């Protein structure tokens, strides 16, 4: 208000100068700031040339751009006030209406926005840089940025027509896409469908009023990441708050037509933006380019009028005009033509028109959004083109900020639909965005994002490949290819860390460990055998048992002969028999031993201490052996013994009946491909390479084949665990062949790798990852317990280790029996020699001589007594 009073005072109460001529100028504006700027601009030129005889008197109205009739009436009102020029309005809709009247009345019409109807012969002057020139700037930048294709995003017919020349002269592949408000009053639906094209380069042409919202919504749908580049054509880019996108990593380029920190700009802007709400930002940054152009255009008009007056070529005399009359103003065309021929230096640089009356000579500053805000990185001149002198990036700052702060970053995360790492939700509802997916990998990403504060958008690798290098094309496919091409920032799936992949991308710490194993049908029970009774003992034990039987029988024979007590009277009724017999003949010894082994009695009863000792130990032995046999036989009869046609990869590689394979191009196939000197792995790879039909496109296909055909599938142990939990006819055969893990992949030297690794470690330490595994492996999606039903074959034959002890006891017992039999013999000989006064040694030798005559089974009593 004070400012307006000030204008009023300056305009009407300044000391009167001789011959001062007051000339009215009209303005039709949409915004108060433009109206204010118009009055301010008039005041500025009046005070700048205060000693001249010309004074401009502003007369302005706020008009509704879409109400052409009212604008028409207001224009007529201005014409009746004898205006010498009209500025505005700022919309093509009402501008067309008043242009017709002003052309007819020959009143200069000054515009400050890009107007596609601009023609050479009009009374119209447009200070906005001409679009054909702006197009050249866009083309050069698109070339410089090396874009191969791009999407032009526009918000109205007017925006589209601005870029139509660009679209038709662009060498790159251009797609046009209009921003439409969706049912939620946002542009997210349009942006999401643009995102689905996979395009990452955008030219954004939209009004400044919606620009901030469009950028924010682009960020929300995941179009504001390191892979995305924007060229924003609106010359007021600097006036919006770009702080939320500063750390997004997206490459945002724009233009400006004046320097907001220029002294003149700041002075004028300070006077326009006086309200409290503008205090936080230096006013120059708030000044819109149209306001600056308006100020320049008033300056231009003033110069023209002044020059014409001073040169006395024309006497400028304003005239009252009526819309419904046929009169017009004589000086109008002269002023417009003079203005077109002038050159002045305004806020927006050199204001100069070409011979067609278009503003072609202007400088554009090229701006880029950096971590420190909007930065001037160069300029574009119509004569010399693009000149970039980007200030060096504060590397350290970039690094520190990047490494420590993932907050508010948005990543594109790519995954494969591989059970259970990434799956589509099974629901009848229509889901959108990340909501469509679930699985171990998705949950893990969710945990990481809430720990580190980043946002992410999931996209799918349609072909399901994790990443394989093609030596012929020199390219990677699958998830690794997507990371390398910049289609995604992170890849999470059953993505195995391999040396080859590690050489082109970075991996986080492994979040899961595994090894390659074989998926095959569950082992089958062996059909009962006729000779099952042999199974409880191993062959060694059986042989040893037979040998022991013979040895022990022989020992009884020997002990029997040595032990004097075993020589007994054959006829108990005859008190003094002539000879004695021994019950432990060879035949009887064998019979006695077998009788007790079979748990049957014989009529033979040992008499001597030695033979009784021997018999006791033998009975103990048979007791243990028979009990062990019986127990183990029971186990064999009750427990099914399961068998597989192979139990390791060597056996698998040696047979031909069962075919086998792995996922095509996966880490498992590559494990065999890179077999080196390992002959078994090489043999397996040879089979795989020559039987491509046995390789599968996915794990699911492998599982299906394993179930239905004679087929074994090489798979990673964690996935096997998942499969056998749900497919009860399948099992994992043999031990894991290697030891590796899954991790999240990202571009080489990514600054966020450490943060992600640290977060994974934390999730491991807190048991979160183990819980997630439990959830997806054991609880969700048809998990059953069939995995735990796989039982190892329980009954095994007893071998020497199991029964060796009892053989030892028998051995020691038998030796003891022998010793005792010698002692018995010696005592009997000693007793007899004492009675008969004979020499002990001689008698013992005699006895031994008899002992070794094994064929003699009868001992004469005389001899016995002599002895
Ligand atoms: N995890 C494997 C990879 O990253 C895919 C499955 C496989 O090869 O067994 O390629």
């Amino acid at each position: 208000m004070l400012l307006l009073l000030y204008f009023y005072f300056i305009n009407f109460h300044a000391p009167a100068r001789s011959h001062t001529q007051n000339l009215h100028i009209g303005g039709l504006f949409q915004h108060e700031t433009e109206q204010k700027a118009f009055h301010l601009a008039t005041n500025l030129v009046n005070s700048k040339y205060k000693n001249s005889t010309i004074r401009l008197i502003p007369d302005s109205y706020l008009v509704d751009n879409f109400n052409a009739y009212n604008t028409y009436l207001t224009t007529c009102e201005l014409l009746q006030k004898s205006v010498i020029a009209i500025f505005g309005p700022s919309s093509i809709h009402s501008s067309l209406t008043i242009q017709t009247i002003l052309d007819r009345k020959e009143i200069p019409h000054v515009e400050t926005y890009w107007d596609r109807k601009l023609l050479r012969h009009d009374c119209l002057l447009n200070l906005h840089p001409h679009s054909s020139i702006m197009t050249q700037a866009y083309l050069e930048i698109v070339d410089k940025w090396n874009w191969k294709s791009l999407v032009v995003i526009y918000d109205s017919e007017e925006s589209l027509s601005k870029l139509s020349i660009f679209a038709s002269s662009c060498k790159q592949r251009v797609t046009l896409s209009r921003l439409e408000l969706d049912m939620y009053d946002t542009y997210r639906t349009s942006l999401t469908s643009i995102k689905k094209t996979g395009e990452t380069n955008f030219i954004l042409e939209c009004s400044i009023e919606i620009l901030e919202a469009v950028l924010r919504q682009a960020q929300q749908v995941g179009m504001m990441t390191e892979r995305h580049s924007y060229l924003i054509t609106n010359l007021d880019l600097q006036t919006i708050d770009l702080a939320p996108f500063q750390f997004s990593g997206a490459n945002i380029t724009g233009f400006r037509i004046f320097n907001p920190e220029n002294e003149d700009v700041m002075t004028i802007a300070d006077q326009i933006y006086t309200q409290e709400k503008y205090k936080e930002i230096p006013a120059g940054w708030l000044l819109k380019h149209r306001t600056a152009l308006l100020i320049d255009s008033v300056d231009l008009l003033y110069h023209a009028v002044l020059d014409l007056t001073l040169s006395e070529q024309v006497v400028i005399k304003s005239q009252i005009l009526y819309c419904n009359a046929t009169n017009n103003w004589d000086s109008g065309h002269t002023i417009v033509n003079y203005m077109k021929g002038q050159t002045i230096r305004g806020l927006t640089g050199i204001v100069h028109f070409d011979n067609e009356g278009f503003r072609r000579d202007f400088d554009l500053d090229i701006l880029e959004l950096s971590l420190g805000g909007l930065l001037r990185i160069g300029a574009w001149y119509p004569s010399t083109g693009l000149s970039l002198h980007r200030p060096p990036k504060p590397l350290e700052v970039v690094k520190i900020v990047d490494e420590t702060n993932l907050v508010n970053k948005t990543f594109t995360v790519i995954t494969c639909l591989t059970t259970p790492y990434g799956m589509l939700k099974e629901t009848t509802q229509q889901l959108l965005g990340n909501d469509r997916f679930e699985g171990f990998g998705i949950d893990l990403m969710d945990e990481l994002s809430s720990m580190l504060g980043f946002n992410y958008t999931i996209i799918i690798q349609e072909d399901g490949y994790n990443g394989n290098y093609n030596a012929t094309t020199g390219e990677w496919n699958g998830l690794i290819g997507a990371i390398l091409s910049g289609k995604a920032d992170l890849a999470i799936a059953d993505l195995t860390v391999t040396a080859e992949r590690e050489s082109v991308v970075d991996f986080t710490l492994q979040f899961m460990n595994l090894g390659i194993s074989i998926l095959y049908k569950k082992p089958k029970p062996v059909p009962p055998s006729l000779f099952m009774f042999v199974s409880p003992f191993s062959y060694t034990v059986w042989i040893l048992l037979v040998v022991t039987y013979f040895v022990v029988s022989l020992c009884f024979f020997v002990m029997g002969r040595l032990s004097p007590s075993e020589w007994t009277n054959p006829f108990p009724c005859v008190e003094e028999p002539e000879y004695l017999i021994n019950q432990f003949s060879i035949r009887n010894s064998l019979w006695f031993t077998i009788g007790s082994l079979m748990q049957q009695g014989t009529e033979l009863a040992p008499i001597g201490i030695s033979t009784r000792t021997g018999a006791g130990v033998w009975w103990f032995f048979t007791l243990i052996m028979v009990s062990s046999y019986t127990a183990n036989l029971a186990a064999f009869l009750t427990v099914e013994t399961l068998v597989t046609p192979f139990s390791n990869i060597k056996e698998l590689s040696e047979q031909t009946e069962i075919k086998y394979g792995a996922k095509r191009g996966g880490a498992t196939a590559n494990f065999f491909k890179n077999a080196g000197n390992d002959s078994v792995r090489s043999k397996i790879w040879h089979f795989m390479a020559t039987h491509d039909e046995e390789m599968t496109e996915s794990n699911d296909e492998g599982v299906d084949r394993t179930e239905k055909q004679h087929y074994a599938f090489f798979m990673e142990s964690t996935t096997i665990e998942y499969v056998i939990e749900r497919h009860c006819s399948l099992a994992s055969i043999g031990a894991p062949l290697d030891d590796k893990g899954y991790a999240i992949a990202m571009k080489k030297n990514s600054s966020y790798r450490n943060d992600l690794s640290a977060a994974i470690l934390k999730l491991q330490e807190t048991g979160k990852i183990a819980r997630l595994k439990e959830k997806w492996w054991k609880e969700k999606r048809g998990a059953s317990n069939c995995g735990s039903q796989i039982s190892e074959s329980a009954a095994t034959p007893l071998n020497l280790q199991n029964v060796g002890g009892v053989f030892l006891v028998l051995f020691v017992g038998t030796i003891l029996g022998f010793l005792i039999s010698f002692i018995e013999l010696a005592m009997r000989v000693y007793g007899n020699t004492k009675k008969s006064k004979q020499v002990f040694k001689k008698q013992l030798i005699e006895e031994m001589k008899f002992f070794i005559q094994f064929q003699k089974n009868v001992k004469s009593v005389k001899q016995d007594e002599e002895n």
Side-chain angles (χ1 to χ4, degrees):
M1 191 62 205
L2 277 175
L3 194 65
L4 288 176
L5 280 174
Y6 171 69
F7 299 150
Y8 180 79
F9 178 79
I10 295 281
N11 289 335
F12 298 103
H13 298 278
R17 281 158 287 186
S18 57
H19 314 302
T20 301
Q21 191 183 3
N22 287 340
L23 296 173
H24 286 260
I25 54 171
L28 299 168
F29 303 108
Q30 202 186 348
H31 301 292
E32 265 181 45
T33 42
E34 284 175 342
Q35 196 178 24
K36 207 166 166 185
F38 179 59
H39 285 261
L40 184 69
T42 319
N43 174 52
L44 281 172
V45 288
N46 284 338
S47 50
K48 197 154 121 194
Y49 305 103
K50 55 176 175 275
N51 295 326
S52 86
T53 54
I54 306 288
R55 284 175 52 73
L56 296 179
I57 313 293
D59 234 323
S60 66
Y61 293 93
L62 285 178
V63 288
D64 178 357
N65 270 339
F66 295 96
N67 192 338
Y69 182 65
N70 268 349
T71 313
Y72 167 78
L73 294 180
T74 319
T75 311
C76 294
E77 215 172 298
L78 282 174
L79 290 177
Q80 285 174 34
K81 289 186 177 175
S82 62
V83 292
I84 60 157
I86 291 186
F87 294 79
S90 52
S91 140
I92 194 156
H93 309 285
S94 34
S95 159
L96 266 171
T97 323
I98 69 158
Q99 184 60 46
T100 328
I101 320 164
L102 297 185
D103 276 349
R104 195 150 43 83
K105 298 290 169 192
E106 291 185 29
I107 294 290
H109 180 202
V110 185
E111 282 182 339
T112 53
Y113 68 97
W114 180 79
D115 184 354
R116 64 175 172 212
K117 70 177 171 39
L118 189 64
L119 293 172
R120 171 92 184 86
H121 59 264
D122 287 336
C123 255
L124 178 68
L125 193 75
N126 192 318
L127 266 80
H128 196 280
H130 195 264
S131 69
S132 62
I133 313 291
M134 293 293 286
T135 298
Q136 282 175 26
Y138 306 154
L139 288 172
E140 277 188 51
I141 294 212
V142 166
D143 275 348
K144 184 83 190 169
W145 276 201
N146 217 359
W147 290 3
K148 302 273 181 289
S149 58
L150 57 103
V151 179
V152 170
I153 306 175
Y154 62 95
D155 67 334
S156 63
E157 289 305 316
E158 205 176 325
S159 320
L160 178 61
S161 63
K162 254 189 222 182
L163 285 170
S164 56
I165 314 174
F166 167 80
S168 54
S169 23
C170 197
K171 295 199 296 280
Q172 287 76 5
R173 200 183 68 236
V174 178
T175 316
L176 298 172
S177 198
R178 183 173 177 148
L179 284 173
E180 308 270 11
L181 277 174
D182 57 21
M183 59 197 285
Y184 306 106
D185 246 11
T186 73
Y187 298 99
R188 283 190 211 112
T189 311
S190 302
L191 291 167
T192 309
S193 56
I194 294 170
K195 188 182 152 200
K196 279 192 188 141
T197 63
E199 191 55 74
T200 51
N201 302 321
F202 309 107
I203 291 203
L204 181 55
E205 164 62 56
C206 67
S207 72
I208 196 67
E209 285 74 25
I210 67 161
L211 180 58
E212 203 175 322
V214 171
L215 291 176
R216 201 173 46 247
Q217 286 158 24
Q219 185 170 42
Q220 286 161 0
V221 301
M223 282 172 65
M224 193 63 77
T225 70
E226 279 166 352
R227 297 178 304 108
H228 297 102
S229 301
Y230 290 82
L231 178 63
I232 297 174
T233 55
N234 197 304
L235 292 173
D236 289 329
L237 176 65
Q238 61 192 348
T239 63
I240 65 166
D241 180 15
L242 292 168
F245 320 112
Q246 229 159 284
F247 300 102
S248 67
N251 182 3
I252 298 180
T253 312
F255 304 97
R256 71 181 179 203
I257 199 169
F258 63 86
N259 180 359
E261 276 155 15
N262 172 297
E263 213 175 304
D264 291 343
V265 172
M266 297 235 277
T267 318
I268 291 170
D270 274 341
Q271 294 173 42
I272 300 174
Y273 301 100
T274 48
Q275 290 177 29
E276 200 54 42
K277 62 177 177 182
Y278 299 130
K279 285 288 177 260
E280 278 175 19
I281 306 163
W285 289 90
L286 298 168
L287 192 67
K288 300 255 184 343
H289 77 282
R290 274 217 302 255
T291 312
L293 289 173
L294 183 66
I295 292 168
D296 284 353
S297 60
V298 174
D299 203 0
L300 187 69
L301 175 78
Y302 190 94
H303 272 92
V305 175
L306 189 65
D307 284 1
L308 284 170
T309 315
L310 292 179
S311 65
E312 293 182 356
Q313 289 170 13
V314 188
V315 180
I316 306 228
K317 215 161 160 264
S318 56
Q319 185 183 340
I320 295 176
L321 296 169
Y322 297 98
C323 286
N324 50 7
T326 51
N327 60 343
N328 59 348
W329 191 42
D330 299 339
S331 318
H333 268 130
T334 317
I335 294 178
V336 168
N337 289 336
Y338 194 85
M339 281 169 83
K340 282 180 182 171
Q342 273 193 110
T343 302
I344 63 160
R345 172 164 280 284
L347 294 182
T348 59
I350 303 287
V351 180
H352 171 74
F353 298 87
D354 66 2
N355 51 8
E356 287 181 278
F358 299 149
R359 186 168 177 195
R360 290 183 189 271
D361 238 353
F362 54 88
D363 302 342
L364 283 178
D365 281 348
I366 313 288
L367 307 175
E368 191 174 82
L369 187 62
S370 69
L371 294 175
L374 214 48
L375 211 70
R376 181 180 183 274
I377 57 159
W380 184 84
Y381 310 102
S383 49
T384 53
L386 196 61
S387 135
L388 291 180
H389 39 84
R390 191 193 296 267
K393 280 190 184 161
L395 276 181
E396 282 316 303
V397 175
V398 174
K399 229 173 150 207
I400 290 163
V401 172
D402 268 354
E403 276 180 4
T404 54
N405 198 0
L406 282 110
V407 179
N408 281 343
K409 281 206 164 188
T410 301
F411 293 122
T412 303
V413 178
I414 193 160
T415 186
C416 288
L417 291 179
T418 311
T419 329
Y421 309 94
M423 301 173 282
L424 283 174
K425 271 189 191 158
E426 291 171 337
T427 169
T428 48
Q429 286 167 10
Q430 202 200 348
L431 301 173
L432 291 172
N434 293 357
D435 248 10
R436 289 168 296 156
F437 308 105
E438 64 175 9
F440 177 85
I442 312 293
D443 278 2
L444 180 59
M445 201 34 89
D446 224 40
E447 292 291 339
L448 292 174
S449 91
S450 37
M451 273 175 86
L452 299 171
F454 62 85
N455 306 314
Y456 67 97
T457 316
I458 298 172
I459 57 170
I460 296 297
Q461 178 66 34
E462 298 293 346
D463 60 14
Y465 287 131
N466 285 2
N468 196 26
Y469 180 66
N470 183 334
T472 325
T473 58
E475 278 175 10
W476 283 85
N477 67 2
L479 300 179
I480 302 291
I483 293 287
L484 293 178
S485 70
K487 188 173 161 200
D489 306 301
L490 300 173
I492 187 165
D494 59 334
L495 183 59
T496 313
V497 181
T498 64
E500 200 182 16
R501 288 173 180 168
E502 180 87 65
S503 67
V504 289
V505 294
D506 271 352
F507 282 102
T508 56
L509 278 185
Q510 300 180 358
F511 56 78
M512 203 175 255
N513 294 318
L514 53 115
I516 295 171
S517 208
I518 310 168
L519 181 74
Y520 190 65
K521 293 192 188 68
K522 241 183 203 163
K524 293 207 174 86
V526 197
S529 133
L530 269 183
F531 296 97
M532 170 76 111
F533 63 85
V534 183
S535 312
F537 288 148
S538 68
Y539 290 119
T540 327
V541 174
W542 279 121
I543 291 167
L544 209 62
L545 194 60
V546 172
V547 172
T548 309
Y549 162 67
F550 283 110
V551 172
V552 170
S553 303
L554 198 68
C555 289
F556 272 110
F557 171 67
V558 172
M559 283 189 294
R561 283 185 75 81
L562 284 176
S563 170
S565 317
E566 292 298 343
W567 292 98
T568 50
N569 179 1
F571 314 107
C573 311
V574 180
E575 280 187 12
E576 290 185 353
E578 289 187 359
Y579 59 90
L580 300 172
I581 57 163
N582 195 319
Q583 57 179 345
F584 282 106
S585 63
I586 279 287
R587 281 191 311 172
N588 279 353
S589 299
L590 286 168
W591 181 239
F592 172 76
T593 321
I594 196 78
S596 38
L597 187 61
M598 294 298 140
Q599 308 277 283
Q600 304 300 320
T602 56
E603 285 187 357
L604 289 177
I607 302 166
I609 299 175
S610 58
T611 44
R612 282 182 177 176
T613 306
V617 175
W618 176 245
W619 288 339
F620 172 75
F621 172 80
T622 55
L623 175 73
I624 302 296
M625 289 305 281
V626 169
S627 329
S628 305
Y629 176 85
T630 315
N632 210 24
L633 184 65
F636 268 89
L637 291 174
T638 49
V639 177
E640 287 178 327
T641 309
L642 304 174
V643 282
T644 45
F646 59 91
S647 56
N648 51 44
I649 60 163
K650 190 161 181 295
E651 288 174 17
L652 180 63
S653 72
E654 280 162 0
Q655 56 79 51
T656 50
E657 201 188 323
I658 300 163
K659 305 279 179 258
Y660 47 87
K663 182 178 169 182
R664 198 173 279 120
T668 303
N670 284 337
F671 168 77
F672 292 105
K673 189 175 174 185
N674 306 325
N677 296 332
D678 188 324
S679 58
V680 178
R681 270 165 65 188
S682 304
K683 198 167 169 187
I684 299 259
W685 174 243
H686 177 74
F687 178 85
M688 289 178 174
T690 50
H691 293 79
D692 191 54
E693 71 283 358
E694 304 300 345
M695 303 299 275
T696 69
E697 283 301 303
S698 65
N699 285 341
D700 289 347
E701 189 189 333
V703 172
D704 199 49
R705 278 199 199 185
T706 312
E707 243 177 346
K708 295 181 182 151
Q709 303 171 8
H710 268 324
Y711 185 80
F713 189 56
F714 284 103
M715 210 180 187
E716 285 161 332
S717 54
T718 40
T719 319
I720 291 187
E721 259 176 66
Y722 180 86
V723 169
I724 62 182
E725 194 70 39
R726 284 153 187 82
H727 298 256
C728 295
S729 62
L730 300 181
S732 169
I733 311 289
L737 307 179
D738 62 351
D739 188 7
K740 51 197 178 186
Y742 296 147
I744 301 173
M746 68 205 77
K747 266 217 163 104
K748 262 244 163 296
N749 301 325
S750 293
S751 51
Y752 35 85
R753 173 191 175 169
N754 287 347
D755 284 356
L756 288 170
S757 291
I760 288 177
L761 203 59
K762 205 166 239 166
L763 289 175
Q764 263 162 356
E765 280 169 7
T766 54
K768 189 83 207 177
I769 291 191
R771 273 203 299 284
L772 283 183
K773 186 163 179 227
E774 183 75 14
K775 168 179 163 190
W776 286 105
W777 264 248
K778 306 269 180 195
E779 291 163 16
K780 295 275 210 173
R781 299 255 184 161
S784 70
N785 272 335
C786 55
S788 60
Q789 285 174 9
I790 302 169
S791 58
E792 295 294 316
S793 138
T796 49
L798 297 175
N799 55 31
L800 202 53
Q801 271 100 355
N802 305 112
V803 289
V806 68
F807 277 94
L808 190 70
V809 171
L810 178 65
F811 176 73
V812 173
T814 312
I815 300 286
L816 192 69
F818 266 112
L819 280 177
I820 295 171
S821 62
F822 275 114
I823 293 167
E824 273 181 309
L825 180 67
M827 280 174 64
R828 171 63 69 93
V829 173
Y830 181 71
N832 286 347
T833 49
K834 235 180 161 187
K835 263 198 257 162
S836 58
K837 310 252 191 288
Q838 285 182 5
V839 181
F840 172 74
K841 192 175 163 194
K842 188 172 159 246
Q843 287 305 312
L844 193 61
I845 290 170
E846 283 298 314
E847 194 65 28
M848 290 314 287
K849 274 185 188 162
F850 173 76
F851 166 71
I852 53 174
Q853 291 167 13
F854 291 116
Q855 74 281 12
K856 283 194 177 175
N857 217 11
V858 176
K859 198 179 193 181
S860 71
V861 175
K862 188 172 160 277
Q863 186 192 0
D864 189 47
E865 280 171 0
E866 275 173 9
N867 292 339

